[in-house]
Amino acid sequence: MQTPQSSLVDALVELRAAAVGMRLGLPIDGAPAAVATQHELVGQIDDYLLPRLRQLDAPLLMVVGGSTGAGKSTLVNSLVGAAVSAAGVLRPTTRAPVLVCNPGDVDWFTGDRVLPGLPRSTGAQGGHHALHVVPHPQVPQGLALLDAPDIDSVVTENRELSRQLLAAADLWLFVTTAARYADAVPWDLLHAARARSTALAVVLNRAPPGSGPEVSAHLREMLQDNGLGDSSLFVVDESVLDERGMLADASIAPVRGWMNTLGADAEARAAVVRGTLVGALDSIPQRVNTLANAAEAQRSAAAALLAEAHAAYARARDEVDEGVTSGALLRGEVLARWQDFVGTGEFMRSLESRIGVLRDRLRAAFSGRPPAGTELKAALESSVESLVRAAADRAADRTYESWSASAAGRALVGSGAAHLARASTTLPAAVEREVRAWQGHVLELVSQEGAGKRTAARFLSYSVNAAGLAVMVTVFAHTGGLTGGEVAVAGGTSALGQKLLEAVFGDQAVRALAESARTDLLARVESVLAAERERFDERAIAAVAGADAAAQLRAAGALVGAARRGAFAASRP
């Protein structure tokens, strides 16, 4: 039977999955903070909430954190009475975090119950980012000390690890000095502790003799002003370390007494754990809302980039349409081949299929030159291909330039993606394939029209290829569709092709053939251009979360909230 506690664990697992899947790849306003929130939320679920909820009776984990040179390791060693953690003589030090616990509690920490992403070592101190577990009888059972790296280390990995460890704590023992307690960096983390209701104790280390009351009063006032007035505060006077490099017992007696009392009181430890656990759970809604809002902002930014790409390629399609219907294609090689086809009489001869096929073969055999119809078909194919390739190149360049004008777009195209400013290397083959398929489609249209009851008798003696070529030329010779009037090809070429087509099929049929051929060509062009645009679409889509990601995250957050109310009292302890 599922308990309220297990229901909360399941809800957190679902929330974690939703948060991990949140892609925030566009560098828009607020993105860095949202990514940090994402990492913090996932990290706290992994490193603290799930381990703690699955084993509420596990020892309390006290993480000792602070700024560079605050004396964290020296304090830990002094509290334990042994050199369990190497104090940093040269900074920044890069070393493993050290966890000191009672020998009876070792099994709690050598597995992956807490901080599952960190490997463990129990002998010689392991490498950086490995958790070094040290058993020592001076540490009370039920409590463990974890010496974390400096929170303000110049080594990025140290800072990140320190924040990860602090997020896994039931209790922070924050060490600062009389000279640095007002620094900004520590207070950023202390504010995070307040926001999550993490239990907190502060050690003011190295207080000059006689200044303790004054400095501690000021620090207490700062804690009060920042909503942390209920935190325990201990003052350790500045003194000479003994021959072991440790603080005098008298100077740390209040801290050691507090630690031992907490270790001996199971109810007090449970209250600390409960307060931190509930505070962490209660901080989730705000973080979920921050992430969901960021995801929606990312989607909007990606949609704007996609719109720019779609507009560029829609313009390319219109350019191809204009080139097709304006007669611009019927110049140069196409015009010469059309005039050869019509002017030499081959068009007329090829329309008579039984005689035309034989004559075409004989002519090609003796002259070594392909029939004019074949040359016209190739010229038409080449012209259309060139038109589409040029339009695709312009669309790629326009999209690349528009994306490069914004930070979000630049992040997607990248410094090494100048090839995106040109059509892809696969475009020529794709265009050639589609244009040939279109020509085949036109011939099929002509064949189907010739098989109709009204035209079958008249069509039987005519060539499908010749009629198809005439239809293709007709498509390229008109602006705004056929009107039934004379077709002026490139400013004066004979309109014989259309007249013969109308004689065979009828005026309306020729209109329908040409329009159907044009529509099919543009559909194929759109398909080719859409495939070209995919290079941009894929980058924008991959950078952001799915359309329903924000809603799923909010739903998962609401599920955690409901499960939290079932597992714990509504008010904080």
Side-chain angles (χ1 to χ4, degrees), residues 215-241:
V215 176
S216 62
H218 185 226
L219 177 54
R220 171 64 68 188
E221 183 181 348
M222 292 183 68
L223 289 168
Q224 186 72 40
D225 292 343
N226 285 275
L228 297 167
D230 58 349
S231 303
S232 299
L233 176 60
F234 304 97
V235 178
V236 177
D237 290 335
E238 186 174 20
S239 62
V240 178
L241 302 180

PDB file of all heavy atoms in Angstrom, residues 215-241:
ATOM      1  N   VAL A 215      31.493  42.546  17.290  1.00  0.00           N
ATOM      2  CA  VAL A 215      31.372  41.980  15.941  1.00  0.00           C
ATOM      3  C   VAL A 215      30.186  41.023  15.875  1.00  0.00           C
ATOM      4  O   VAL A 215      29.412  41.041  14.905  1.00  0.00           O
ATOM      5  CB  VAL A 215      32.676  41.257  15.536  1.00  0.00           C
ATOM      6  CG1 VAL A 215      32.516  40.582  14.176  1.00  0.00           C
ATOM      7  CG2 VAL A 215      33.829  42.239  15.497  1.00  0.00           C
ATOM      8  N   SER A 216      30.034  40.202  16.908  1.00  0.00           N
ATOM      9  CA  SER A 216      28.924  39.246  16.887  1.00  0.00           C
ATOM     10  C   SER A 216      27.575  39.964  16.936  1.00  0.00           C
ATOM     11  O   SER A 216      26.597  39.506  16.339  1.00  0.00           O
ATOM     12  CB  SER A 216      29.041  38.265  18.050  1.00  0.00           C
ATOM     13  OG  SER A 216      28.959  38.933  19.293  1.00  0.00           O
ATOM     14  N   ALA A 217      27.507  41.093  17.633  1.00  0.00           N
ATOM     15  CA  ALA A 217      26.258  41.855  17.682  1.00  0.00           C
ATOM     16  C   ALA A 217      25.896  42.381  16.295  1.00  0.00           C
ATOM     17  O   ALA A 217      24.722  42.356  15.887  1.00  0.00           O
ATOM     18  CB  ALA A 217      26.394  43.003  18.678  1.00  0.00           C
ATOM     19  N   HIS A 218      26.913  42.853  15.579  1.00  0.00           N
ATOM     20  CA  HIS A 218      26.659  43.354  14.222  1.00  0.00           C
ATOM     21  C   HIS A 218      26.234  42.218  13.291  1.00  0.00           C
ATOM     22  O   HIS A 218      25.294  42.355  12.485  1.00  0.00           O
ATOM     23  CB  HIS A 218      27.903  44.052  13.672  1.00  0.00           C
ATOM     24  CG  HIS A 218      27.673  44.684  12.335  1.00  0.00           C
ATOM     25  ND1 HIS A 218      28.553  44.558  11.286  1.00  0.00           N
ATOM     26  CD2 HIS A 218      26.633  45.428  11.858  1.00  0.00           C
ATOM     27  CE1 HIS A 218      28.085  45.205  10.224  1.00  0.00           C
ATOM     28  NE2 HIS A 218      26.919  45.748  10.557  1.00  0.00           N
ATOM     29  N   LEU A 219      26.924  41.084  13.407  1.00  0.00           N
ATOM     30  CA  LEU A 219      26.561  39.934  12.572  1.00  0.00           C
ATOM     31  C   LEU A 219      25.161  39.450  12.927  1.00  0.00           C
ATOM     32  O   LEU A 219      24.372  39.105  12.024  1.00  0.00           O
ATOM     33  CB  LEU A 219      27.587  38.814  12.762  1.00  0.00           C
ATOM     34  CG  LEU A 219      27.315  37.509  12.000  1.00  0.00           C
ATOM     35  CD1 LEU A 219      27.119  37.755  10.511  1.00  0.00           C
ATOM     36  CD2 LEU A 219      28.460  36.515  12.236  1.00  0.00           C
ATOM     37  N   ARG A 220      24.848  39.414  14.210  1.00  0.00           N
ATOM     38  CA  ARG A 220      23.499  39.007  14.614  1.00  0.00           C
ATOM     39  C   ARG A 220      22.451  39.947  14.031  1.00  0.00           C
ATOM     40  O   ARG A 220      21.379  39.512  13.583  1.00  0.00           O
ATOM     41  CB  ARG A 220      23.419  39.001  16.144  1.00  0.00           C
ATOM     42  CG  ARG A 220      22.031  38.803  16.714  1.00  0.00           C
ATOM     43  CD  ARG A 220      21.463  37.456  16.357  1.00  0.00           C
ATOM     44  NE  ARG A 220      22.182  36.368  17.013  1.00  0.00           N
ATOM     45  CZ  ARG A 220      21.980  35.080  16.739  1.00  0.00           C
ATOM     46  NH1 ARG A 220      21.113  34.737  15.788  1.00  0.00           N
ATOM     47  NH2 ARG A 220      22.665  34.143  17.374  1.00  0.00           N
ATOM     48  N   GLU A 221      22.760  41.223  14.000  1.00  0.00           N
ATOM     49  CA  GLU A 221      21.834  42.199  13.416  1.00  0.00           C
ATOM     50  C   GLU A 221      21.639  41.951  11.922  1.00  0.00           C
ATOM     51  O   GLU A 221      20.515  42.023  11.395  1.00  0.00           O
ATOM     52  CB  GLU A 221      22.368  43.613  13.659  1.00  0.00           C
ATOM     53  CG  GLU A 221      21.445  44.710  13.157  1.00  0.00           C
ATOM     54  CD  GLU A 221      22.018  46.097  13.401  1.00  0.00           C
ATOM     55  OE1 GLU A 221      23.007  46.228  14.158  1.00  0.00           O
ATOM     56  OE2 GLU A 221      21.490  47.060  12.803  1.00  0.00           O
ATOM     57  N   MET A 222      22.734  41.626  11.226  1.00  0.00           N
ATOM     58  CA  MET A 222      22.631  41.329   9.789  1.00  0.00           C
ATOM     59  C   MET A 222      21.803  40.068   9.554  1.00  0.00           C
ATOM     60  O   MET A 222      20.975  40.015   8.627  1.00  0.00           O
ATOM     61  CB  MET A 222      24.030  41.156   9.186  1.00  0.00           C
ATOM     62  CG  MET A 222      24.865  42.428   9.134  1.00  0.00           C
ATOM     63  SD  MET A 222      26.478  42.160   8.331  1.00  0.00           S
ATOM     64  CE  MET A 222      25.959  41.852   6.642  1.00  0.00           C
ATOM     65  N   LEU A 223      22.014  39.066  10.391  1.00  0.00           N
ATOM     66  CA  LEU A 223      21.218  37.842  10.255  1.00  0.00           C
ATOM     67  C   LEU A 223      19.734  38.137  10.476  1.00  0.00           C
ATOM     68  O   LEU A 223      18.869  37.646   9.732  1.00  0.00           O
ATOM     69  CB  LEU A 223      21.702  36.786  11.263  1.00  0.00           C
ATOM     70  CG  LEU A 223      23.076  36.165  10.980  1.00  0.00           C
ATOM     71  CD1 LEU A 223      23.546  35.363  12.191  1.00  0.00           C
ATOM     72  CD2 LEU A 223      23.023  35.274   9.739  1.00  0.00           C
ATOM     73  N   GLN A 224      19.451  38.946  11.460  1.00  0.00           N
ATOM     74  CA  GLN A 224      18.062  39.311  11.755  1.00  0.00           C
ATOM     75  C   GLN A 224      17.447  40.061  10.575  1.00  0.00           C
ATOM     76  O   GLN A 224      16.310  39.775  10.159  1.00  0.00           O
ATOM     77  CB  GLN A 224      18.020  40.178  13.016  1.00  0.00           C
ATOM     78  CG  GLN A 224      16.615  40.497  13.505  1.00  0.00           C
ATOM     79  CD  GLN A 224      15.945  39.280  14.116  1.00  0.00           C
ATOM     80  OE1 GLN A 224      16.583  38.501  14.827  1.00  0.00           O
ATOM     81  NE2 GLN A 224      14.664  39.094  13.818  1.00  0.00           N
ATOM     82  N   ASP A 225      18.179  41.015  10.031  1.00  0.00           N
ATOM     83  CA  ASP A 225      17.671  41.805   8.905  1.00  0.00           C
ATOM     84  C   ASP A 225      17.425  40.959   7.665  1.00  0.00           C
ATOM     85  O   ASP A 225      16.605  41.320   6.809  1.00  0.00           O
ATOM     86  CB  ASP A 225      18.655  42.936   8.561  1.00  0.00           C
ATOM     87  CG  ASP A 225      18.725  43.998   9.644  1.00  0.00           C
ATOM     88  OD1 ASP A 225      17.813  44.028  10.485  1.00  0.00           O
ATOM     89  OD2 ASP A 225      19.701  44.780   9.647  1.00  0.00           O
ATOM     90  N   ASN A 226      18.134  39.853   7.566  1.00  0.00           N
ATOM     91  CA  ASN A 226      17.997  38.984   6.400  1.00  0.00           C
ATOM     92  C   ASN A 226      17.127  37.755   6.656  1.00  0.00           C
ATOM     93  O   ASN A 226      17.166  36.784   5.890  1.00  0.00           O
ATOM     94  CB  ASN A 226      19.373  38.534   5.914  1.00  0.00           C
ATOM     95  CG  ASN A 226      20.125  39.630   5.180  1.00  0.00           C
ATOM     96  OD1 ASN A 226      19.947  39.822   3.980  1.00  0.00           O
ATOM     97  ND2 ASN A 226      20.958  40.369   5.910  1.00  0.00           N
ATOM     98  N   GLY A 227      16.334  37.829   7.689  1.00  0.00           N
ATOM     99  CA  GLY A 227      15.391  36.743   7.955  1.00  0.00           C
ATOM    100  C   GLY A 227      16.021  35.498   8.529  1.00  0.00           C
ATOM    101  O   GLY A 227      15.429  34.415   8.461  1.00  0.00           O
ATOM    102  N   LEU A 228      17.214  35.622   9.115  1.00  0.00           N
ATOM    103  CA  LEU A 228      17.918  34.453   9.652  1.00  0.00           C
ATOM    104  C   LEU A 228      18.216  34.632  11.139  1.00  0.00           C
ATOM    105  O   LEU A 228      19.181  34.103  11.672  1.00  0.00           O
ATOM    106  CB  LEU A 228      19.236  34.241   8.883  1.00  0.00           C
ATOM    107  CG  LEU A 228      19.087  33.931   7.381  1.00  0.00           C
ATOM    108  CD1 LEU A 228      20.427  34.066   6.678  1.00  0.00           C
ATOM    109  CD2 LEU A 228      18.509  32.529   7.181  1.00  0.00           C
ATOM    110  N   GLY A 229      17.357  35.384  11.789  1.00  0.00           N
ATOM    111  CA  GLY A 229      17.602  35.737  13.183  1.00  0.00           C
ATOM    112  C   GLY A 229      17.559  34.569  14.133  1.00  0.00           C
ATOM    113  O   GLY A 229      18.089  34.654  15.247  1.00  0.00           O
ATOM    114  N   ASP A 230      16.946  33.432  13.744  1.00  0.00           N
ATOM    115  CA  ASP A 230      16.865  32.286  14.653  1.00  0.00           C
ATOM    116  C   ASP A 230      18.055  31.339  14.510  1.00  0.00           C
ATOM    117  O   ASP A 230      18.088  30.271  15.115  1.00  0.00           O
ATOM    118  CB  ASP A 230      15.562  31.516  14.424  1.00  0.00           C
ATOM    119  CG  ASP A 230      15.427  31.037  12.992  1.00  0.00           C
ATOM    120  OD1 ASP A 230      16.229  31.466  12.137  1.00  0.00           O
ATOM    121  OD2 ASP A 230      14.499  30.249  12.705  1.00  0.00           O
ATOM    122  N   SER A 231      19.044  31.730  13.707  1.00  0.00           N
ATOM    123  CA  SER A 231      20.229  30.883  13.515  1.00  0.00           C
ATOM    124  C   SER A 231      21.120  30.924  14.751  1.00  0.00           C
ATOM    125  O   SER A 231      21.297  31.978  15.381  1.00  0.00           O
ATOM    126  CB  SER A 231      21.033  31.363  12.295  1.00  0.00           C
ATOM    127  OG  SER A 231      20.230  31.380  11.132  1.00  0.00           O
ATOM    128  N   SER A 232      21.695  29.782  15.076  1.00  0.00           N
ATOM    129  CA  SER A 232      22.672  29.732  16.179  1.00  0.00           C
ATOM    130  C   SER A 232      23.944  30.449  15.725  1.00  0.00           C
ATOM    131  O   SER A 232      24.364  30.306  14.575  1.00  0.00           O
ATOM    132  CB  SER A 232      22.994  28.287  16.541  1.00  0.00           C
ATOM    133  OG  SER A 232      21.828  27.602  16.968  1.00  0.00           O
ATOM    134  N   LEU A 233      24.563  31.231  16.644  1.00  0.00           N
ATOM    135  CA  LEU A 233      25.787  31.967  16.319  1.00  0.00           C
ATOM    136  C   LEU A 233      26.845  31.680  17.380  1.00  0.00           C
ATOM    137  O   LEU A 233      26.601  31.840  18.569  1.00  0.00           O
ATOM    138  CB  LEU A 233      25.494  33.467  16.263  1.00  0.00           C
ATOM    139  CG  LEU A 233      26.694  34.381  16.031  1.00  0.00           C
ATOM    140  CD1 LEU A 233      27.390  34.058  14.697  1.00  0.00           C
ATOM    141  CD2 LEU A 233      26.263  35.856  16.058  1.00  0.00           C
ATOM    142  N   PHE A 234      28.013  31.255  16.906  1.00  0.00           N
ATOM    143  CA  PHE A 234      29.133  30.956  17.808  1.00  0.00           C
ATOM    144  C   PHE A 234      30.321  31.826  17.417  1.00  0.00           C
ATOM    145  O   PHE A 234      30.579  32.070  16.235  1.00  0.00           O
ATOM    146  CB  PHE A 234      29.534  29.479  17.697  1.00  0.00           C
ATOM    147  CG  PHE A 234      28.406  28.532  17.961  1.00  0.00           C
ATOM    148  CD1 PHE A 234      27.676  27.965  16.913  1.00  0.00           C
ATOM    149  CD2 PHE A 234      28.051  28.203  19.257  1.00  0.00           C
ATOM    150  CE1 PHE A 234      26.636  27.094  17.154  1.00  0.00           C
ATOM    151  CE2 PHE A 234      27.003  27.325  19.520  1.00  0.00           C
ATOM    152  CZ  PHE A 234      26.290  26.777  18.458  1.00  0.00           C
ATOM    153  N   VAL A 235      31.051  32.299  18.427  1.00  0.00           N
ATOM    154  CA  VAL A 235      32.235  33.137  18.202  1.00  0.00           C
ATOM    155  C   VAL A 235      33.469  32.370  18.657  1.00  0.00           C
ATOM    156  O   VAL A 235      33.523  31.870  19.796  1.00  0.00           O
ATOM    157  CB  VAL A 235      32.126  34.472  18.953  1.00  0.00           C
ATOM    158  CG1 VAL A 235      33.387  35.295  18.724  1.00  0.00           C
ATOM    159  CG2 VAL A 235      30.885  35.246  18.517  1.00  0.00           C
ATOM    160  N   VAL A 236      34.450  32.263  17.741  1.00  0.00           N
ATOM    161  CA  VAL A 236      35.718  31.619  18.060  1.00  0.00           C
ATOM    162  C   VAL A 236      36.799  32.685  17.984  1.00  0.00           C
ATOM    163  O   VAL A 236      37.060  33.241  16.909  1.00  0.00           O
ATOM    164  CB  VAL A 236      36.034  30.467  17.087  1.00  0.00           C
ATOM    165  CG1 VAL A 236      37.406  29.866  17.397  1.00  0.00           C
ATOM    166  CG2 VAL A 236      34.948  29.393  17.171  1.00  0.00           C
ATOM    167  N   ASP A 237      37.411  32.984  19.123  1.00  0.00           N
ATOM    168  CA  ASP A 237      38.422  34.043  19.170  1.00  0.00           C
ATOM    169  C   ASP A 237      39.678  33.630  18.395  1.00  0.00           C
ATOM    170  O   ASP A 237      40.027  32.449  18.300  1.00  0.00           O
ATOM    171  CB  ASP A 237      38.807  34.358  20.614  1.00  0.00           C
ATOM    172  CG  ASP A 237      37.684  35.060  21.364  1.00  0.00           C
ATOM    173  OD1 ASP A 237      36.844  35.701  20.693  1.00  0.00           O
ATOM    174  OD2 ASP A 237      37.645  34.945  22.607  1.00  0.00           O
ATOM    175  N   GLU A 238      40.341  34.629  17.866  1.00  0.00           N
ATOM    176  CA  GLU A 238      41.599  34.387  17.169  1.00  0.00           C
ATOM    177  C   GLU A 238      42.648  33.919  18.181  1.00  0.00           C
ATOM    178  O   GLU A 238      42.796  34.512  19.255  1.00  0.00           O
ATOM    179  CB  GLU A 238      42.063  35.664  16.481  1.00  0.00           C
ATOM    180  CG  GLU A 238      43.284  35.484  15.610  1.00  0.00           C
ATOM    181  CD  GLU A 238      43.612  36.749  14.833  1.00  0.00           C
ATOM    182  OE1 GLU A 238      43.151  37.835  15.255  1.00  0.00           O
ATOM    183  OE2 GLU A 238      44.322  36.648  13.823  1.00  0.00           O
ATOM    184  N   SER A 239      43.342  32.840  17.833  1.00  0.00           N
ATOM    185  CA  SER A 239      44.345  32.295  18.745  1.00  0.00           C
ATOM    186  C   SER A 239      45.375  31.520  17.951  1.00  0.00           C
ATOM    187  O   SER A 239      45.189  31.223  16.765  1.00  0.00           O
ATOM    188  CB  SER A 239      43.691  31.368  19.781  1.00  0.00           C
ATOM    189  OG  SER A 239      43.071  30.271  19.142  1.00  0.00           O
ATOM    190  N   VAL A 240      46.468  31.209  18.622  1.00  0.00           N
ATOM    191  CA  VAL A 240      47.534  30.432  17.990  1.00  0.00           C
ATOM    192  C   VAL A 240      47.138  28.966  17.997  1.00  0.00           C
ATOM    193  O   VAL A 240      46.672  28.425  19.008  1.00  0.00           O
ATOM    194  CB  VAL A 240      48.860  30.638  18.733  1.00  0.00           C
ATOM    195  CG1 VAL A 240      49.963  29.777  18.106  1.00  0.00           C
ATOM    196  CG2 VAL A 240      49.237  32.103  18.728  1.00  0.00           C
ATOM    197  N   LEU A 241      47.308  28.302  16.858  1.00  0.00           N
ATOM    198  CA  LEU A 241      46.995  26.878  16.776  1.00  0.00           C
ATOM    199  C   LEU A 241      48.023  26.084  17.560  1.00  0.00           C
ATOM    200  O   LEU A 241      49.194  26.486  17.710  1.00  0.00           O
ATOM    201  CB  LEU A 241      46.986  26.427  15.318  1.00  0.00           C
ATOM    202  CG  LEU A 241      46.003  27.155  14.385  1.00  0.00           C
ATOM    203  CD1 LEU A 241      46.114  26.601  12.963  1.00  0.00           C
ATOM    204  CD2 LEU A 241      44.581  27.054  14.901  1.00  0.00           C
TER     205      LEU A 241
END
